[in-house]
């Protein structure tokens, strides 16, 4: 049995419309446009981008946490709390590091820290 191959490539891939991708407003695209319209937003863009990167990193860690046994679902409830706490602490550290490396912040604080964290690399930053 021979199948006829009357379909051309445009019919095969008609379900993919790459023009729609150009109309999607992402956080990065929004911040780029905001910075273009007002250069004073450049520092804010950097901070938002670093938060976005930290959120993506944390999301990746959380999604892999079962695989790498960070949640400890197969252990006792007492140990489970310790494992979940370590995931929380890891996420907190990722966010603090991401903000620290922007060079835009002079001080960081977290609910887990008793004192504000001074960032020596950014003594003359605005924030």
């Amino acid at each position: 049995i021979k199948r006829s191959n009357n379909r051309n490539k445009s019919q095969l891939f008609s379900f993919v419309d790459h023009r729609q991708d150009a109309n999607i407003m992402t956080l990065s695209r929004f911040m780029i446009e905001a910075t273009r319209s007002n250069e004073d937003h450049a520092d804010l863009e950097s901070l938002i981008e670093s938060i976005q990167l930290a959120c993506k990193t944390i999301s990746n860690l959380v999604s892999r946490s079962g695989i790498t046994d960070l949640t400890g679902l197969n252990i006792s409830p007492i140990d489970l709390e310790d494992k979940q706490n370590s995931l929380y602490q890891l996420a907190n550290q990722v966010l603090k590091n991401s903000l620290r490396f922007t060079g835009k912040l002079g001080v960081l604080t977290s609910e887990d820290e008793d004192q504000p964290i001074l960032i020596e690399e950014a003594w003359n930053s605005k924030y």
Side-chain angles (χ1 to χ4, degrees), residues 10-68:
S10 65
Q11 288 175 331
L12 287 174
F13 297 106
S14 64
F15 62 90
V16 178
D17 187 3
H18 296 287
R19 291 173 292 177
Q20 288 180 345
D21 291 342
N23 296 327
I24 296 173
M25 181 58 73
T26 63
L27 178 61
S28 297
R29 183 176 288 175
F30 174 80
M31 291 308 301
I32 289 169
E33 289 179 9
T35 303
R36 281 183 188 156
S37 66
N38 186 350
E39 288 296 321
D40 293 337
H41 292 136
D43 287 344
L44 179 62
E45 178 188 10
S46 176
L47 291 172
I48 296 292
E49 291 290 331
S50 69
I51 292 170
Q52 178 183 19
L53 177 63
C55 289
K56 287 179 180 183
T57 303
I58 292 166
S59 174
N60 189 359
L61 288 169
V62 169
S63 68
R64 291 184 309 143
S65 64
I67 297 169
T68 57

Side-chain angles (χ1 to χ4, degrees), residues 3 6 11-12 16 18 28 37 40 66 72 79 83-84 89-90 92 97 112:
R3 290 186 183 186
N6 294 336
Q11 288 175 331
L12 287 174
V16 178
H18 296 287
S28 297
S37 66
D40 293 337
D79 291 335
K83 292 285 187 173
Q84 288 173 335
Q89 290 170 353
L90 183 61
N92 189 36
N97 284 342
D112 295 334

